[in-house]
Amino acid sequence: MDLRILGAVAAELDGRPVPLDGSKQRTALAALLLAEGTVLSDERLTVLLWGWRPPATSTRQLYTYVSRLRTRLGPRLRLERHGTGYRMDIGDASFDRTAFRTLAATGRADLLARRYQDAERRLDQALGLWHGPALTGVTDHLRESEASQLEEARLAALEDHAEAALALGRHTELIPALTHQVALQPIRERLRGQLMTALFRSGRQADALAVYDRGNEALADELGIDPGPVLRTLRQEILTGALAPPEAPERDTATVSHPPAVAARAAEPEAFPASPAPASPVPATLPAAPADFVGRAAETRELLTALRGRRGAVITGAAGTGKSALALRAAEQCREDFPQGRLYADLRTADGGPRAPGEVLGWFLSALGVAPERTPGALDERIQLYRTLLSTRRLLVVLDNVFDDAQVRPLLPGEGPSRTLITGVRSHLASLEGLHMVRLGALEPVEAGQLLAAVAGSERLTASPEAAARIAESCDRLPLALRIAAARLAAHPHWTAGMLADRLARPGRRLAELRLGSLDLRSGLRNVADQLDPADRTAAGILAAAGLTRLTAGDAGALLGTAADEAEELLERLVDAQLLDAWSTDGANGLCYRFPPLVQLFLQPQHTPAPC
């Protein structure tokens, strides 16, 4: 099992992500991991989850979060009650913070002993364990308590890594990453001095002195102090040309860059080719976009603006809203913007589960021209090689049907001109940094009619506009449901539009009607519902069976026999899965919820088998 907090809080069991529900469950896991085998009291956990004003049901909710963690993490991890708290023993599971701390400490010892190559290698490995800001996805209470210490450890390792790389004479390649880090940490004098050194050794004396001047201004403005003696001495050495050369320069080798690190070098360069063979074809693995695609003009413009600029994009929406079709449509329209290739992967397996990132990276590396015998086996090494190959190329990477943010992070390109387009249901994909979010809902009535006509032919639909409108509303104006309904009409030339509208008007048959061949609306809804905790799935069925057109937390609590705040947590998890719609009101209830009609039918007991 792999446990991670250096980036998004996540757990992976046998290569598959462990589902974690929302920020509070991620907080409980991260807090127990950070306790490092000591007992974490209920009081401390409660503060980290809710702050100093927890809800009245916090004890019950805390028990629920821990119970779910115990179930989902399985027997390999021991999560036990001890007195008035909990203790987690991770056994032989890997924990990225522990691995980082060990590598960083060993790398620093190598640095102090002037074993620069060993130091650079180990510190590079340590920094490669970071995949974004630590503790992403947890509550603000835990992040405020722990994130600054973790970030300080990362910066210290980053500075040690830069020092080792400078000693090896790798000053020129360090400049871009050091420039970026100094911009982020303007009053960190060691980083600024390392950038000045790299610039001077690259023949850029004036730029090195300008970096000192900007640091002088930043320290005066923010702290009211002058640069320290080390930085002042370095400036004098640059002015007089007396700065010493690299202590232990090495010959040039192929490098692999980790996004958070200043620079990185593979331990065995021959296993990491810097680029595919020159004869490698331009990868083009995207499926074709639907030829009869209609609507979504505003959303398409948003996506193209993001992809052609400096950002990737995420398309979210409920099952059946046409996320994949829109992604392929946008990718087709910006084909010329990505002349060095387009990569595609469906991150959902045939049985509806999440596909392992390592498998997808194997596909991508093959498409990029890496021979099977030169493809690394370890996930981290595949990530390094993949990001290296994309670092100087402009490719579009389309990741379809993403399960959650932890599954997709290893597949994101590092720094460079490549862009990523992601589709998925879960709203916490919004935690992916630097990506533009586009949310899809139902089609407009006119667009729904256009899609029906494009698939079924316009004759029967124009002859009965009232029936076409009834079909569209029975399909909740979802592109997948509309496409299936229109395809059924095209497959039955003896039906009129009115006949299909009547068949769809019967709630007991509606979902069965919305299936044809491999197209099945229930399959998409099932993929989402199966990701729910079994207790949440049962509760959703109870709420759906009540048939209410509007729910409040109080209503849900009364139906489920729970407190209103506990019911609200459930409702928000269903909103996150896009099985519920939510909106704010000005009344006392605050939030209202409703099941889309097709979702409500699906969550109720199944009805008639699919017709012919």
Side-chain angles (χ1 to χ4, degrees):
M1 171 171 283
D2 294 323
L3 303 164
R4 297 190 292 274
I5 65 168
L6 303 182
V9 173
E12 194 172 274
L13 179 60
D14 296 329
R16 292 180 176 271
V18 175
L20 299 172
D21 297 327
S23 64
K24 290 188 173 57
Q25 194 167 73
R26 292 173 190 267
T27 298
L29 172 59
L32 288 162
L33 288 171
L34 286 167
E36 296 184 299
T38 63
V39 176
L40 192 61
S41 69
D42 292 350
E43 180 182 5
R44 178 60 176 161
L45 261 175
T46 299
V47 170
L48 294 175
L49 288 167
W50 291 282
W52 295 104
R53 294 184 178 180
T57 60
S58 60
T59 301
R60 185 194 308 168
Q61 292 188 56
L62 177 59
Y63 173 81
T64 299
Y65 292 133
V66 173
S67 177
R68 286 178 182 166
L69 276 178
R70 186 182 290 118
T71 299
R72 294 181 181 184
L73 295 174
R76 299 186 194 178
L77 272 68
R78 295 175 57 192
L79 177 50
E80 299 174 340
R81 183 75 176 167
H82 280 266
T84 59
Y86 293 94
R87 176 182 179 275
M88 176 182 282
D89 181 359
I90 68 173
D92 61 356
S94 67
F95 179 29
D96 59 357
R97 186 209 184 191
T98 300
F100 167 78
R101 195 159 50 187
T102 300
L103 286 165
T106 307
R108 179 158 183 76
D110 288 332
L111 180 65
L112 295 173
R114 299 185 177 182
R115 295 188 294 267
Y116 297 118
Q117 289 188 343
D118 290 339
E120 193 274 343
R121 175 174 55 83
R122 289 194 172 99
L123 290 162
D124 170 58
Q125 292 171 349
L127 292 165
L129 295 171
W130 286 73
H131 301 286
L135 299 173
T136 297
V138 304
T139 63
D140 291 341
H141 313 295
L142 177 59
R143 191 180 303 109
E144 290 168 2
S145 173
E146 300 290 343
S148 60
Q149 300 176 47
L150 294 169
E151 177 63 7
E152 176 60 32
R154 184 189 74 86
L155 288 170
L158 191 148
E159 290 171 341
D160 286 346
H161 177 274
E163 186 172 326
L166 285 170
L168 294 169
R170 297 176 52 220
H171 37 267
T172 302
E173 65 189 83
L174 285 174
I175 291 173
L178 277 173
T179 301
H180 177 67
Q181 292 297 331
V182 168
L184 295 176
Q185 307 288 337
I187 60 174
R188 203 164 179 102
E189 293 189 51
R190 189 181 178 198
L191 271 176
R192 187 171 293 275
Q194 288 169 340
L195 176 57
M196 291 167 61
T197 300
L199 288 166
F200 177 77
R201 289 179 179 169
S202 300
R204 297 169 60 181
Q205 181 186 38
D207 290 336
L209 294 171
V211 168
Y212 176 89
D213 292 340
R214 288 194 294 272
N216 190 9
E217 294 172 4
L219 288 165
D221 291 344
E222 295 195 29
L223 302 176
I225 62 175
D226 296 325
V230 174
L231 209 58
R232 293 199 305 271
T233 299
L234 177 61
R235 175 181 180 273
Q236 186 62 29
E237 290 175 339
I238 290 172
L239 275 171
T240 61
L243 182 63
E247 185 172 343
E250 64 172 4
R251 62 181 177 85
D252 290 338
T253 57
T255 61
V256 175
S257 295
H258 299 289
V262 174
R265 179 174 52 83
E268 298 178 357
E270 66 276 11
F272 296 87
S275 62
S280 297
V282 173
T285 61
L286 266 71
D292 47 16
F293 184 92
V294 300
R296 308 295 195 198
E299 292 90 344
T300 302
R301 285 194 297 271
E302 278 189 67
L303 292 172
L304 294 178
T305 299
L307 294 174
R308 287 168 175 163
R310 300 181 61 84
R311 308 178 70 183
V314 177
I315 307 172
T316 68
T321 49
K323 300 179 292 295
S324 300
L326 176 59
L328 295 176
R329 174 75 165 184
E332 187 177 80
Q333 292 197 1
C334 64
R335 176 193 302 265
E336 301 305 318
D337 296 283
F338 298 94
Q340 293 175 295
R342 295 167 304 285
L343 296 171
Y344 171 88
D346 187 342
L347 269 65
R348 186 172 61 208
T349 62
D351 61 3
R355 194 178 300 280
E359 179 184 8
V360 177
L361 286 170
W363 298 347
F364 285 175
L365 292 174
S366 177
L368 290 165
V370 178
E373 65 273 14
R374 305 196 70 169
T375 299
L379 176 60
D380 283 348
E381 292 180 350
R382 289 190 176 194
I383 295 170
Q384 292 171 9
L385 178 54
Y386 166 67
R387 290 177 176 164
T388 298
L389 295 176
L390 265 59
S391 64
T392 58
R393 304 178 183 199
R394 186 163 176 81
L395 286 89
L396 177 63
V397 182
V398 179
L399 303 172
D400 203 9
N401 296 312
V402 167
F403 181 79
D404 63 10
D405 56 334
Q407 181 197 27
V408 79
R409 285 183 186 277
L411 305 174
L412 297 177
E415 57 186 359
S418 291
R419 297 290 176 263
T420 312
L421 181 54
I422 295 168
T423 78
V425 169
R426 307 300 291 232
S427 62
H428 54 59
L429 291 174
S431 69
L432 295 169
E433 299 84 359
L435 299 178
H436 179 70
M437 179 74 67
V438 173
R439 299 181 184 273
L440 298 187
L443 290 175
E444 296 296 324
V446 172
E447 295 174 338
Q450 291 172 344
L451 181 55
L452 288 172
V455 178
S458 58
E459 296 80 5
R460 282 182 286 176
L461 295 167
T462 27
S464 183
E466 180 271 337
R470 288 169 55 207
I471 292 171
E473 294 308 314
S474 292
C475 292
D476 289 1
R477 287 186 270 117
L478 292 178
L480 176 59
L482 291 164
R483 184 173 294 280
I484 296 171
R488 286 183 62 75
L489 195 59
H492 296 80
H494 53 288
W495 287 3
T496 64
M499 291 172 63
L500 177 59
D502 291 340
R503 293 170 74 98
L504 290 169
R506 297 158 62 182
R509 294 181 59 92
R510 189 173 303 160
L511 287 173
E513 293 285 344
L514 294 175
R515 189 180 82 176
L516 183 65
S518 62
L519 297 178
D520 184 0
L521 181 66
R522 277 187 300 203
S523 176
L525 292 170
R526 189 176 300 111
N527 286 332
V528 177
D530 285 350
Q531 297 176 23
L532 295 175
D533 183 274
D536 287 356
R537 175 68 173 83
T538 300
I542 294 171
L543 298 178
L548 299 178
T549 56
R550 189 177 92 157
L551 273 170
T552 64
D555 298 331
L559 289 168
L560 299 173
T562 64
D565 54 356
E566 188 173 343
E568 185 173 334
E569 291 281 347
L570 166 69
L571 294 172
E572 288 298 323
R573 290 195 295 272
L574 296 179
V575 170
D576 176 64
Q578 311 230 33
L579 295 172
L580 265 184
D581 296 330
W583 67 96
S584 299
T585 66
D586 295 327
N589 290 326
L591 289 172
C592 291
Y593 305 85
R594 68 178 284 275
F595 287 104
L598 289 173
V599 173
Q600 192 162 30
L601 289 174
F602 170 78
L603 292 173
Q604 295 171 1
Q606 297 299 300
H607 299 287
T608 311
C612 63

